[in-house]
Amino acid sequence: MTWKKFSGEVINSSILEEVEKAIEREYEAGNKLKVCIGTDSQVKGNTADFATVIVFLREQKGGFMFIHQERSTQKMSIKERMLTEVQKSIETAYTLCDLLDLYDVDLEVHADINTNPQFKSNAALHEAMGYILSMGFVFKAKPEAFASSACANKMVQ
């Protein structure tokens, strides 16, 4: 799985190693961190572009993110695509959760799903929330889910 920095620089080490280096660097600089993980997708023709982001928030000092992008030609309903986004976020969160616990870094999993029933993505809200919460993660949906609805969204537009 290839991860990049926002600058486009490819991360050559494992994402676990890169996250640990980032945490240590930020703690040495005196920053308190929170990590938010989210995925968004965009359908273009017969292809769905997915972007998963790991957003590091420095308390009152901005943030930075790592990005993984992939494409799928599998035909999916809106609900399937929303749940695939959630699955990608959970896989990333699960990979990092022990490390984040070790460094006492709070973690949230963000879903690009609207809480308003008038939106199509709302069809997956209950399943997504149950999936994320049952894995033991803090769940955020729109409008609080900026990692997926803003950061990851920027990468698939």
Side-chain angles (χ1 to χ4, degrees):
M1 190 180 274
T2 303
W3 287 86
K4 296 184 217 174
K5 296 181 180 179
F6 187 65
S7 65
E9 177 189 341
V10 174
I11 295 170
N12 293 313
S13 56
S14 78
I15 192 61
L16 205 54
E17 289 174 47
E18 196 65 29
V19 167
E20 186 167 29
K21 282 194 283 189
I23 292 169
E24 288 175 350
R25 180 182 66 242
E26 293 300 323
Y27 277 9
E28 284 174 19
N31 295 321
K32 177 158 175 42
L33 292 174
K34 175 164 82 171
V35 168
C36 303
I37 296 172
T39 302
D40 194 17
S41 61
Q42 182 76 41
V43 176
K44 298 170 186 166
N46 294 327
T47 304
D49 290 333
F50 290 88
T52 300
V53 296
I54 303 168
V55 179
F56 296 83
L57 295 177
R58 298 180 193 107
E59 194 171 83
Q60 299 181 359
K61 293 185 183 175
F64 60 97
M65 67 180 176
F66 298 148
I67 304 128
H68 169 70
Q69 292 182 271
E70 59 188 286
R71 288 198 161 138
S72 173
T73 55
Q74 181 181 342
K75 192 161 177 58
M76 295 181 230
S77 69
I78 184 82
K79 188 174 183 177
E80 287 173 308
R81 194 162 49 89
M82 296 298 106
L83 293 174
T84 299
E85 290 176 9
V86 170
Q87 177 187 0
K88 291 176 182 306
S89 296
I90 286 176
E91 286 172 1
T92 301
Y94 191 73
T95 299
L96 301 178
C97 65
D98 288 343
L99 178 66
L100 297 176
D101 285 348
L102 181 67
Y103 285 92
D104 197 28
V105 176
D106 290 338
L107 170 65
E108 295 177 357
V109 176
H110 292 190
D112 188 37
I113 296 175
N114 209 303
T115 53
N116 183 333
Q118 293 179 334
F119 290 86
K120 290 179 184 175
S121 67
N122 183 264
L125 179 64
H126 295 295
E127 289 91 337
M129 184 167 56
Y131 190 9
I132 292 168
L133 292 173
S134 70
M135 293 297 289
F137 300 121
V138 174
F139 167 77
K140 298 285 182 181
K142 282 181 175 177
E144 299 175 328
F146 64 85
S148 56
S149 59
C151 300
N153 177 270
K154 181 175 181 60
M155 305 314 299
V156 292
Q157 292 301 318

